[in-house]
Amino acid sequence: MEKTPGPTGIQDNFLGRMRKERSWVTILLISGRKISGRIRSYDRYTVLLESRGLEQMVFKHAIASISIAQKFSNTIDLEKEQARPAGGEPEE
């Protein structure tokens, strides 16, 4: 008997999005230890986390939570800052 794929759950949607976007995540384990990296792969029982060229398999039953590093952008215009005289206003 062949199983038909059912709807994906919140967990699969979240992990899939983080994997595709290559987002940096922090996983808090139930032991209190934190590990960070990018989700390389996952299945029903495990998450494969990549960090600094190394891979680490984490069993889902050991995960308390997963958080995403906040995205930010550098809003400083470096060319403008370099053109500014020391201690003065920007040149027009």
Side-chain angles (χ1 to χ4, degrees):
M1 178 183 238
E2 187 177 321
K3 289 187 179 182
T4 58
T8 60
I10 278 180
Q11 185 182 108
D12 286 338
N13 289 337
F14 179 82
L15 292 172
R17 193 175 85 234
M18 294 305 97
R19 183 184 59 79
K20 286 178 187 172
E21 293 175 1
R22 296 188 46 79
S23 298
W24 192 266
V25 298
T26 299
I27 297 178
L28 177 64
L29 302 176
I30 56 174
S31 67
R33 182 173 175 227
K34 289 182 182 181
I35 53 177
S36 297
R38 290 187 170 90
I39 296 174
R40 175 137 181 173
S41 183
Y42 63 93
D43 64 15
R44 187 173 179 183
Y45 301 107
T46 60
V47 174
L48 191 59
L49 199 66
E50 179 182 26
S51 178
R52 297 182 185 119
L54 301 174
E55 293 179 343
Q56 185 172 6
M57 186 183 332
V58 181
F59 289 96
K60 285 183 177 178
H61 71 266
I63 297 174
S65 67
I66 301 176
S67 61
I68 307 165
Q70 294 294 325
K71 294 181 182 179
F72 68 94
S73 63
N74 185 353
T75 58
I76 298 172
D77 185 350
L78 294 177
E79 290 176 8
K80 224 181 210 185
E81 289 299 316
Q82 290 172 350
R84 180 185 298 206
E89 292 297 315
E91 294 178 10
E92 295 288 324

